[in-house]
Amino acid sequence: MVAAAKEADARVLVIGMQVPPNYGRRYTERFAAMFETVAKRHAVALVPFLLERIATDLAYFQDDRIHPNESAQALIAETVWPVLSPLLGRTGTAGAATGRPATGARDRDRTGKAG
């Protein structure tokens, strides 16, 4: 997918995820490492773990204890935005605190070009 996206001149951001430790140490370590491996292999940006700021606080998860709830969204955005914003040609933290795209982002199509 990354190669295809780059071939289409897309700017790529790999966002890492982790699985619970009950999957076994070997599997969880290899799963987590996969995202960094892919990002390095294709020389693209990486957010190592999407849920970095919320993973240990169940208050940020739905009752299933897997999926983040509404209150987690701004923290997730703050985790992603510093890596994503340069890919979009933006600087600063606009949008990170609210989890909303920075002004003008809604006016862009899927390629990132103004439309």
Side-chain angles (χ1 to χ4, degrees):
M1 287 191 320
V2 173
K6 287 182 70 175
E7 191 173 303
D9 292 325
R11 290 165 273 178
V12 176
L13 171 59
V14 173
I15 300 179
M17 186 51 67
Q18 295 179 11
V19 294
N22 62 315
Y23 280 77
R25 182 177 178 176
R26 181 173 181 230
Y27 182 82
T28 57
E29 287 175 356
R30 292 177 78 191
F31 184 89
M34 171 182 58
F35 299 96
E36 182 176 356
T37 299
V38 169
K40 283 183 179 180
R41 179 177 296 145
H42 295 281
V44 298
L46 171 70
V47 172
F49 181 37
L50 178 65
L51 307 179
E52 180 69 36
R53 297 187 63 185
I54 65 164
T56 60
D57 190 342
L58 290 178
Y60 290 115
F61 289 87
Q62 296 179 36
D63 292 339
D64 65 6
R65 296 181 173 190
I66 297 171
H67 298 97
N69 61 29
E70 182 180 355
S71 65
Q73 301 309 305
L75 293 172
I76 293 170
E78 290 173 7
T79 299
V80 174
W81 187 251
V83 183
L84 177 60
S85 61
L87 297 177
L88 301 175
R90 304 195 192 296
T91 58
T93 59
T98 64
R100 290 188 210 119
T103 304
R106 288 180 286 284
D107 300 327
R108 299 183 181 278
D109 67 15
R110 293 184 330 169
T111 66
K113 297 176 184 170

